[in-house]
């Protein structure tokens, strides 16, 4: 049986630029599909194919210098503090004399298919539902996908014959790689890397020819791996793949009356689904056409990875978050070693950047990233949200709570309490610096207080009888209050020595608004008003002519606006993202039309969801607090969305018009839902397995 391929978008572009390729993937392997009818290119990659370039070192032993670092911070010698870490690092190992980067994600090979016929009008496009990339001209059709069921790349050319060649991807690796090609098998071997067991990879292909078609089946395997026993029956392979991929993609449907945002919402979800396998998406997902990708295309966790994954729970695909936790498990010993080496503390210190290892090696006198201690607590929110959206108690008890408890141990040791007030020093607000300051080093970044407060409140709610609960409560009670600036804005730094700097791509002090919120802001109108002013101030810069970079930062700003009820501001952020940060291949970029990057593939859907659905953590009263249409812009007077998921594992379908909103709620267990909508609030009894339907005036 043939599976219908219906392109979600199409254009007539031909290109030799891999950044403008169409994409398909199963998370483990990815294929960039580009070229022209004369030569179709498929550059392959694998989620675990990072080239060992830089030997990992222990994090610098700065623990003994912590009192001195704190003295420098306290006396406003911020740059001296940042430089002191670098000097100590060089003293411990001369390898710290230069900036140490993480290992890069690299391409495995390029398959080139040269059809016998190249005449005709070229059309290319992607079917998000099936995961098929199609290129066609005249009577020739070339389809490609990467199977989730069989873990192979599958390409079919029908309507003519074709020759197939396999070769290394173009470009020069940073360190030598020994390549050999033997027919349909390519081997890459890393040269002179004694510090790692990684030796290279293989790419194997099988080609089946009939009078009607040419079918190519390929697999990338780190190390040596036997080619799977797979029948090269394209239709059978596609049917098995679509049964998995199509079910994931089809869990949510959005209808905004033809607004172009619909297609970008789908394109973003498609990219995240297609680049999440046993590992979460890197900065470039599971795709690369260069040996030197920006920031090495690893995982950046001072915002990028979290933005990429921000919608997977609310769009009903929680299984896509599990690879984040698996990655953390694999690197957890390095995170522990970082905490010991850098600060002499128990618990975890998560570096902002990592790939093949989790050691804290990437920092410098300007990017003083060893001062950023918020990473473990921020990752802790992902564990909490997974529990909140799934209700998986085994996950809570076996994975979430152990991580949260150990993460808290670091902060219980690191935070200094003076006169009853907790202080975070040294500190760091990703990757910003106070206005007029010469350094990113600081004290008391607002984000530090927020993420630690979030972690402690979660622990007290989920594990109230634990032996550590009194210590968690004591630290929570000592956390400092928010600061409001002289201009009435929620401050990015609690330290009054640090004036805000709104002309920046990050907005880390809006952290609570990306998730379940902060009760302090929810309960205090003055703080809420200050947050509104801060969001508007940052948005003015983003919508001006000076901003250009890191589009996911604008998505997070839009999500914050939506959580504060600023519908038109959220829509303004969305409109700028849609206009400036997506290419014709419907893959987003990091800057405006610059740098292939999937962060916005998660950020844009998360922004759309936040305008239609928000929820709070389910607490001890077991009530799910769900808000529908909390930031509905005037541009969407009517619409429909199905399959969103709120905290409490409540699935929500919505349809709305100018006068009413129809809501359907589903829950796997009996649950009281406090439903808020633009016209009011109501407690609803939702029974397990029974849809609760209501139509409400607005």
């Amino acid at each position: 049986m043939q599976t219908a391929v219906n392109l979600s978008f199409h254009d007539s572009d031909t290109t030799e630029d891999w950044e403008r390729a169409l994409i398909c993937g199963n998370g483990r392997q990815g294929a960039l599909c580009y070229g022209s009818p004369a030569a179709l290119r498929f550059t392959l990659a694998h989620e675990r194919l990072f080239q060992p370039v830089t030997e990992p070192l222990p994090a610098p032993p700065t623990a003994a210098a912590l009192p001195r670092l704190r003295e420098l911070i306290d006396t406003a010698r911020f740059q001296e503090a940042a430089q002191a870490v670098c000097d100590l690092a060089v003293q411990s190992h001369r390898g710290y004399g230069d900036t140490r980067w993480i290992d890069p994600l690299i391409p495995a090979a390029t398959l080139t298919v040269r059809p016998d016929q190249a005449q005709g009008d070229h059309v290319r496009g992607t079917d998000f539902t099936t995961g098929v990339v199609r290129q066609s001209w005249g009577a020739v059709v070339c389809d490609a996908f990467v199977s989730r069921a069989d873990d192979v790349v599958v390409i079919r050319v029908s309507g003519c014959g074709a020759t197939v060649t396999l070769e290394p991807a173009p470009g020069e690796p940073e360190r030598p790689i020994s390549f050999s090609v033997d027919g349909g098998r390519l081997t890459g071997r890393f040269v002179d890397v004694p510090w790692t067991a990684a030796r290279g990879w293989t790419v194997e292909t099988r080609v089946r020819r009939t009078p009607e078609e040419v079918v190519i089946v390929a697999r990338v395997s780190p190390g040596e791996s036997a080619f799977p026993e797979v029948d090269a029956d394209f239709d059978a392979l596609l049917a098995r793949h679509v049964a998995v991929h199509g079910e994931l993609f089809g869990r949510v449907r959005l209808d905004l009356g033809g607004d172009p945002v619909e297609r970008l919402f789908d394109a973003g979800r498609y990219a995240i689904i297609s680049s999440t396998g046993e590992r979460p998406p890197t900065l470039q997902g599971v795709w690369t056409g260069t040996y030197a990708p920006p920031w090495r295309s690893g995982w950046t966790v001072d915002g990028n990875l979290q933005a990429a994954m921000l919608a997977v729970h609310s769009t009903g695909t929680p299984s896509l978050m599990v690879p984040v936790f698996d990655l953390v498990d694999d690197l957890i010993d390095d995170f522990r070693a970082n905490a010991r080496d850098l600060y002499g503390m128990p618990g975890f210190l998560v570096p902002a950047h990592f790939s093949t290892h989790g050691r804290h090696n990437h920092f410098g006198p300007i990017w003083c990233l060893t001062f950023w201690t918020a990473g473990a607590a921020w990752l802790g929110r992902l564990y909490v949200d997974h529990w909140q959206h799934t209700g998986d108690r085994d996950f809570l008890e076996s994975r979430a709570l152990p991580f949260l408890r150990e993460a808290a141990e670091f902060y219980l040791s690191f935070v200094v309490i003076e006169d009853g007030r907790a202080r975070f020093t040294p500190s760091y607000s990703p990757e910003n610096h106070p206005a007029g300051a010469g350094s990113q080093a600081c004290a008391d970044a607002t984000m530090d207080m927020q993420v630690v407060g979030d972690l402690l409140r979660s622990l007290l709610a989920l594990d109230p009888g634990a032996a550590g609960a009194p210590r968690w409560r004591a630290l929570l009670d000592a956390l400092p209050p928010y600061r409001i600036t002289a201009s009435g804005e929620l401050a990015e730094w609690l330290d009054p020595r640090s004036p805000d700097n709104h002309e920046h791509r990050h907005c880390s002090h809006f952290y609570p608004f990306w998730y379940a919120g902060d009760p302090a802001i929810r309960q205090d109108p003055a703080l809420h008003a200050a947050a509104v002013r801060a969001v508007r101030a940052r948005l003015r810069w983003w919508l001006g002519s000076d901003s250009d970079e890191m589009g996911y930062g604008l998505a997070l700003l839009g999500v914050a606006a939506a959580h504060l009820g600023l519908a038109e501001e959220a829509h303004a952020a969305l409109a700028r993202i849609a206009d400036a940060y997506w290419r014709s291949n419907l893959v987003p970029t990091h800057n405006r039309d610059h740098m292939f990057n999937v962060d916005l593939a998660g950020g844009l859907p998360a922004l759309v969801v936040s305008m239609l659905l928000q929820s709070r953590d389910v607490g001890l009263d077991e009530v799910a607090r769900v808000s529908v249409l909390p930031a509905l812009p005037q541009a969407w007077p009517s619409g429909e969305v199905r399959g969103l998921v709120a905290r409490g594992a409540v699935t929500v379908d919505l349809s709305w018009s100018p006068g009413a909103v129809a809501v359907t709620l589903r829950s796997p267990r009996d649950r009281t839902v406090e439903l808020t909508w633009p016209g009011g609030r109501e407690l609803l009894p939702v029974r397990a397995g029974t849809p609760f339907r209501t139509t409400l005036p607005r």
Side-chain angles (χ1 to χ4, degrees):
M1 178 185 295
Q2 289 191 340
T3 300
V5 174
N6 299 299
L7 298 183
S8 305
F9 74 98
H10 65 273
D11 63 32
S12 60
D13 293 354
T14 60
T15 180
E16 289 296 321
D17 181 358
W18 69 266
E19 289 208 21
R20 297 178 185 274
L22 303 184
I23 58 172
C24 56
N26 67 357
R28 295 179 296 281
Q29 300 180 77
L32 294 161
C33 311
Y34 56 112
S36 68
L40 302 171
R41 317 264 185 216
F42 302 89
T43 295
L44 311 182
H46 192 282
E47 63 178 354
R48 295 181 185 267
L49 184 51
F50 293 86
Q51 183 184 7
V53 167
T54 306
E55 180 181 2
L57 301 177
T62 59
L66 182 56
R68 174 60 175 163
L69 295 175
R70 285 176 165 160
E71 178 188 0
L72 292 171
I73 295 289
D74 288 346
T75 55
R77 289 178 285 175
F78 302 112
Q79 189 56 48
E80 284 185 54
Q83 185 62 54
V85 171
C86 299
D87 293 343
L88 289 167
V90 172
Q91 291 171 24
S92 71
H93 195 290
R94 63 184 182 182
Y96 280 117
D98 297 313
T99 300
R100 302 188 71 80
W101 282 93
I102 62 175
D103 291 334
L105 184 74
I106 63 171
T110 295
L111 268 167
T112 301
V113 178
R114 291 182 171 85
D116 295 343
Q117 298 179 24
Q119 290 75 40
D121 293 334
H122 174 259
V123 176
R124 68 171 192 167
T126 305
D127 180 358
F128 298 145
T129 300
T130 62
V132 171
V133 167
R134 171 168 287 180
Q135 300 183 74
S136 62
W137 60 95
V140 182
V141 176
C142 179
D143 286 337
F145 67 95
V146 187
S147 173
R148 274 196 173 265
D150 294 290
D151 195 21
V152 288
V153 181
V154 188
I155 303 165
R156 177 175 66 183
V157 177
S158 57
C160 73
T163 60
V164 180
T165 58
L166 178 67
E167 56 193 346
E172 190 67 29
E174 190 168 337
R175 293 180 67 96
I177 296 175
S178 173
F179 290 103
S180 64
V181 180
D182 182 7
R185 178 186 174 93
L186 178 147
T187 302
R189 289 290 175 262
F190 303 131
V191 177
D192 191 24
V193 286
W195 62 83
T196 177
R199 290 293 172 257
W201 74 97
T202 58
V203 181
E204 292 199 60
T205 62
R206 300 287 188 272
V207 180
R208 181 175 67 86
R209 301 175 188 276
T210 72
E212 294 79 26
E213 62 185 25
V214 178
V215 176
I216 306 150
V217 180
R219 173 181 276 184
V220 180
S221 302
E224 296 283 351
S225 179
F227 195 85
E229 293 296 327
V230 176
D231 183 8
D233 182 329
F234 184 92
D235 292 320
L237 288 166
L238 179 57
R240 289 199 295 273
H241 165 68
V242 171
V244 184
H245 171 93
E247 192 278 330
L248 279 170
F249 182 78
R251 292 182 187 179
V252 168
R253 293 295 185 202
L254 175 68
D255 180 358
L256 296 175
D259 190 308
V261 166
E262 288 176 23
R263 192 168 64 174
L264 298 182
F265 180 88
D266 288 345
R269 293 191 60 241
Y270 170 76
I272 297 301
I273 290 169
S274 300
S275 58
T276 304
E278 294 176 350
R279 290 287 187 254
T282 71
L283 294 173
Q284 293 179 181
V286 69
W287 303 282
T288 184
T290 175
Y291 296 95
W295 301 287
R296 300 302 216 243
S297 192
W299 293 283
T300 299
V301 295
D302 66 355
N304 303 69
L305 178 62
Q306 292 90 331
M309 306 305 285
L310 191 55
V312 300
H313 286 129
S314 58
T315 56
T317 53
S319 64
L320 300 183
M321 187 63 78
V322 175
V324 174
F325 309 134
D326 294 340
L327 178 63
V328 169
D329 285 350
D330 287 350
L331 302 179
I332 201 82
D333 287 340
D334 284 348
F335 298 163
R336 291 184 178 115
N338 294 336
R340 290 194 303 270
D341 292 341
L342 287 165
Y343 289 104
M345 308 292 179
F348 313 127
L349 197 146
V350 178
H353 305 281
F354 49 83
S355 61
T356 53
H357 62 86
R359 299 185 186 183
H360 207 317
N361 289 177
H362 180 72
F363 57 89
I366 297 174
W367 308 93
C368 44
L369 290 165
T370 65
F371 291 170
W372 187 63
T373 62
W378 194 346
L379 289 177
R381 167 42 66 176
L382 306 188
Y383 286 80
V384 172
D385 262 5
H386 194 71
W387 153 251
Q388 287 284 343
H389 284 87
T390 65
D392 184 342
R393 185 158 293 278
D394 179 66
F395 170 82
L396 174 67
E397 295 176 353
S398 66
R399 302 193 75 170
L401 285 175
F403 181 87
L404 298 176
R405 293 183 193 115
E406 192 168 354
E409 287 301 313
F410 176 84
Y411 303 107
L412 290 166
S413 299
F414 172 76
V415 175
V416 176
I417 298 180
E418 298 177 353
D419 299 324
R421 179 187 183 277
R423 296 202 62 219
F424 295 85
T425 177
S427 186
Y428 185 85
S429 187
E431 298 158 4
N432 201 359
H433 59 82
S439 176
Q440 296 175 3
C442 64
D444 293 332
T446 299
M447 179 185 216
D448 286 352
M449 176 270 288
Q450 292 170 324
V451 298
V452 172
D454 189 26
L455 171 67
L456 298 173
R457 284 191 297 271
S458 296
L459 276 168
L460 289 166
L462 298 172
D463 200 15
R471 297 169 66 219
W472 303 335
R473 170 57 63 185
L475 179 53
L476 180 63
D477 290 345
L479 292 180
Y482 283 96
R483 183 172 71 88
I484 297 177
T485 68
S487 54
E489 298 154 357
L490 195 73
E492 186 167 352
W493 292 272
L494 303 175
D495 185 344
R497 297 175 298 175
S498 299
D500 272 24
N501 175 23
H502 293 303
E503 297 181 359
H504 198 267
R505 59 193 178 275
H506 279 267
C507 54
S508 299
H509 54 316
F510 300 148
Y511 163 87
F513 312 126
W514 307 331
Y515 300 104
D518 186 332
I521 295 175
R522 194 160 47 238
Q523 296 163 11
D524 188 333
L527 285 178
H528 185 278
V532 167
R533 282 191 284 270
V535 165
R536 285 175 169 161
R538 192 66 55 102
L539 185 60
R540 280 193 295 273
W541 175 76
W542 266 108
L543 298 181
S545 59
D546 293 336
S547 65
D548 170 51
E549 55 188 358
M550 207 185 84
Y552 89 80
L554 181 55
L556 293 182
L557 183 61
V559 172
H563 275 261
L564 292 165
L566 305 177
E568 299 311 316
E569 287 86 345
H571 188 262
L574 180 63
R576 174 57 63 91
I577 291 167
D579 177 65
Y581 290 92
W582 294 76
R583 289 173 169 159
S584 62
N585 59 351
L586 292 199
V587 177
T589 56
H590 186 273
N591 295 358
R592 297 182 193 178
D593 195 29
H594 181 57
M595 286 190 287
F596 182 110
N597 179 275
V598 303
D599 301 338
L600 265 176
L604 183 141
L607 174 50
V608 172
V609 171
S610 71
M611 298 164 76
L612 304 178
L613 176 75
Q614 296 172 25
S615 59
R616 302 184 198 171
D617 285 344
V618 174
L620 297 177
D621 63 3
E622 297 289 334
V623 174
R625 291 172 171 83
V626 177
S627 177
V628 298
L629 307 184
L632 187 70
Q634 295 179 9
W636 301 342
S638 60
E640 183 176 13
V641 64
R642 296 186 175 276
L644 298 183
V645 179
R647 292 175 180 85
V650 177
T651 301
V652 182
D653 299 339
L654 298 173
S655 62
W656 66 94
S657 61
V661 54
V663 183
T664 300
L665 306 174
R666 296 177 179 85
S667 174
R669 52 163 290 185
D670 289 353
R671 173 82 74 190
T672 297
V673 175
E674 182 184 276
L675 183 68
T676 302
W677 73 100
R681 178 179 295 130
E682 190 172 343
L683 288 175
L684 304 173
V686 179
R687 301 301 173 213
T690 302
F692 186 100
R693 295 182 174 88
T694 183
T695 299
L696 305 162
R698 54 179 292 260

